[in-house]
Amino acid sequence: MSLNVIQSISDMQSISNALRKEGKSIACVPTMGYLHEGHASLIREAVKHHDIVITTIFINPLQFGPKEDFERYPRDTERDIAIILAAGGKYVFIPSIYEMYPPEFQTTISIGNISKSFEGLYRPGHFEGVATVVAKLFAATKPDAAYFGQKDYQQTLVIKQMVKDLNMGIDIQVIPTLRESSGLAMSSRNVYLSPKEKKSALVLQSALQTGLSLIRDGNRRRISIEESMKDILAGCPEFEIQYCNAALGDTLEMPDEFSETDQIVLLIAGFLGKTRLIDNMTWSSK
Ligand code: PAF
């Protein structure tokens, strides 16, 4: 079967309404395109649990800052379609910028504390853009569930908060980060990295592994975990750190000392040359 490509919001809504009437369960996989194996794993997982999987492709200008890479964000729709089909997806929603944000558009969704730290500090307005577009994509595709990658850890918390606060009734599933064989977290932006930078980027996962092994060995002092991770990052002076922290997995608060039962997330972000990289790993006693 070929892929159903839908471009208008009203067509998407009619199709989803009809599918829902037939009793089909719908999952949405929101993306900005230039898909990789990480996106394919979200689609495959969604296909396992739902009758219909709608992948969305939209490079959302609202979530890019003025000095960020909106213009040069990689695009390859033909390749994306092949990846969606190979992963078992049968629907793709590809709206234009005008369709999503017509000139009279004037609503944004702003989320509280959970969106203010980490990415929120370094990318002001980013999560407003993400929440607004995801709410619109949900309104268009009318899903029962939506699938996101753990790579954008804070984004998953922000979206869960929005879905809860606005009673959207959508089940948010978070799928573990897929890594290249080197250990580098998969990202559409990895295409910007030179072969040398790709090697240097491995320092993020070494630092995260170091943090995890300290926690596994019983260390719960936040500063000590963070310092050990920063020591590893310091071994790669080309990596310009923005943040390197340990935080509570559900609220992103940063107590001096974690308890034995806390779920902990280790978060790193920074620049390698002109490319901004983020990565994270989680630890839970359960
Ligand atoms: O994670 C992404 O690719 C984007 O932030 C999302 C969720 C598709 C919203 O534009």
Side-chain angles (χ1 to χ4, degrees):
M1 185 189 172
S2 63
L3 197 62
N4 296 285
V5 180
I6 301 124
Q7 286 174 304
S8 91
I9 294 175
S10 61
D11 286 352
M12 186 69 257
Q13 288 172 323
S14 309
I15 291 171
S16 291
N17 282 336
L19 290 165
R20 291 180 77 97
K21 263 200 194 138
E22 287 172 25
K24 304 269 198 254
S25 74
I26 301 178
C28 176
V29 181
T31 81
M32 295 206 298
Y34 211 70
L35 305 184
H36 50 67
E37 198 38 43
H39 296 110
S41 76
L42 302 183
I43 300 169
R44 278 196 298 269
E45 196 56 32
V47 166
K48 271 192 220 158
H49 301 283
H50 297 276
D51 302 317
I52 305 290
V53 175
I54 306 168
T55 304
T56 71
I57 298 181
F58 179 66
I59 305 178
N60 173 35
L62 281 196
Q63 71 188 73
F64 288 78
K67 293 196 180 126
E68 294 184 355
D69 56 345
F70 174 67
E71 295 298 341
R72 70 173 186 134
Y73 197 84
R75 294 155 165 88
D76 189 343
T77 309
E78 257 179 49
R79 190 170 144 270
D80 289 347
I81 287 178
I83 291 175
I84 295 168
L85 279 170
K90 296 192 173 47
Y91 290 80
V92 63
F93 176 50
I94 316 186
S96 67
I97 293 193
Y98 184 86
E99 180 73 6
M100 291 294 273
Y101 303 122
E104 67 278 13
F105 184 82
Q106 46 187 299
T107 301
T108 52
I109 297 181
S110 159
I111 292 170
N113 280 345
I114 196 74
S115 78
K116 302 296 181 216
S117 52
F118 299 105
E119 292 299 284
L121 279 179
Y122 290 93
R123 304 185 68 189
H126 170 67
F127 284 125
E128 277 187 22
V130 169
T132 304
V133 80
V134 170
K136 280 183 70 79
L137 294 169
F138 286 172
T141 58
K142 301 175 181 272
D144 300 286
Y147 286 68
F148 294 88
Q150 186 193 314
K151 160 107 191 325
D152 293 292
Y153 189 84
Q154 189 177 13
Q155 169 171 281
T156 65
L157 296 182
V158 166
I159 290 166
K160 281 182 186 169
Q161 189 70 43
M162 172 181 78
V163 164
K164 181 165 175 261
D165 291 347
L166 300 183
N167 309 101
M168 291 177 160
I170 297 167
D171 175 31
I172 301 301
Q173 291 290 326
V174 180
I175 305 302
T177 305
L178 244 68
R179 295 180 181 278
E180 292 180 9
S181 54
S182 63
L184 179 64
M186 287 190 188
S187 161
S188 305
R189 289 184 168 104
N190 287 353
V191 70
Y192 301 149
L193 297 170
S194 68
K196 185 167 175 273
E197 286 172 333
K198 271 200 159 184
K199 275 197 191 138
S200 304
L202 299 181
V203 75
L204 274 81
Q205 88 132 357
S206 311
L208 292 167
Q209 293 287 8
T210 299
L212 270 194
S213 59
L214 284 178
I215 298 170
R216 217 174 275 127
D217 292 346
N219 189 336
R220 291 292 180 281
R221 280 169 297 119
R222 180 172 58 81
I223 303 289
S224 136
I225 298 166
E226 291 174 352
E227 273 171 3
S228 304
M229 293 197 294
K230 284 178 190 161
D231 282 347
I232 302 289
L233 293 179
C236 177
E238 307 86 88
F239 183 66
E240 197 188 308
I241 306 179
Q242 286 187 319
Y243 58 77
C244 170
N245 293 103
L248 288 172
D250 51 353
T251 61
L252 299 185
E253 283 160 353
M254 296 195 292
D256 290 342
E257 182 118 20
F258 296 103
S259 79
E260 267 311 307
T261 54
D262 283 338
Q263 196 218 338
I264 303 171
V265 59
L266 306 174
L267 299 148
I268 297 178
F271 276 94
L272 202 51
K274 287 199 171 104
T275 309
R276 187 165 185 277
L277 298 175
I278 60 172
D279 201 354
N280 70 80
M281 286 187 190
T282 53
W283 190 89
S284 153
S285 57
K286 283 164 225 147

